[in-house]
Amino acid sequence: RPVCLVVDQRLGANGGLELIRRLRDQHGAMPAVLIASYPGPALCRRAAAADVAIVEKPLIGGRLLETIGQMSRRAAGPT
């Protein structure tokens, strides 16, 4: 089972957010990060409602790894 989904928004006709929804439907709740170029307000609202973090392209520095770690820790709950 994946620890954290990392999906690009520009993925096929339905987009990455839809893929995340489908994977969660099949495999249960899991943290997810959506990679997107210039995400608009509507995409940001939909991602927030689905508890999906967004990391904007270009991927500079350690932002993606930091976000994966944050989402994974949050999903694991308090230790």
Side-chain angles (χ1 to χ4, degrees):
R1 177 180 157 120
V3 174
C4 183
L5 297 170
V6 179
V7 178
D8 195 295
Q9 176 58 18
R10 293 189 64 169
L11 187 68
N14 294 320
L17 200 54
E18 175 62 17
L19 175 61
I20 291 169
R21 184 195 65 76
R22 288 180 183 187
L23 289 170
R24 284 176 168 173
D25 285 350
Q26 291 176 1
H27 302 287
M30 63 186 78
V33 178
L34 185 68
I35 300 170
S37 298
Y38 309 109
L43 178 60
C44 290
R45 283 192 301 273
R46 289 181 19 235
D51 194 28
V52 174
I54 294 179
V55 175
E56 290 188 50
K57 293 180 192 175
L59 303 175
I60 298 173
R63 177 86 173 109
L64 178 59
L65 290 177
E66 290 170 12
T67 304
I68 291 169
Q70 289 170 356
M71 295 300 286
S72 297
R73 285 188 297 277
R74 194 168 87 197
T79 55

